[in-house]
Amino acid sequence: MVGIVLVSHSASLAEGAAELVGQIAGGARVVPAGGTGDGRLGTSTDLILAAIADADQGAGVLLLPDLGSSVISARAVLADLGDDPAGTRLALADAPFVEGAVAAGVAASIGADLAAVARAAEEARDARKL
């Protein structure tokens, strides 16, 4: 199953979104990577790397950043790891954080591949609320 890493500036936001996805798409492995190592707002490449390792179940890992520098941090991790680190396929989604996480979690929970999980997250951008 595809794993999902939620990269946020806030540990609480990443943990809350992961909890929400877990309740909606129970079978998905969603790992938060929020805040810095010392609990401040920001992003941490070390936390992202640890989350990737935790989320990896062999079918790839989707990284979903919240905004700004979390995208830069996720891209830095991807650049450092290269295209295929230790056999883990990685993708970065350009998607709304919460809606994209839910859509990706649902897709992952039904066994979609990495490309389909990323596509589901990105298509959530077009979901209207009203």
Side-chain angles (χ1 to χ4, degrees), residues 24-72:
I24 294 171
R29 180 171 295 173
V30 182
V31 181
T36 62
D38 60 1
R40 293 177 294 126
L41 289 177
T43 56
S44 163
T45 56
D46 290 337
L47 291 177
I48 296 168
L49 286 165
I52 289 169
D54 190 24
D56 184 17
Q57 300 176 87
V61 176
L62 178 69
L63 279 66
L64 184 63
D66 62 358
L67 48 93
S69 66
S70 65
V71 175
I72 295 167

Side-chain angles (χ1 to χ4, degrees), residues 84-115:
D84 191 18
T88 302
R89 294 180 308 131
L90 301 170
L92 179 63
D94 180 11
F97 191 66
V98 174
E99 293 89 341
V102 169
V106 169
S109 73
I110 61 171
D113 66 12
L114 181 57

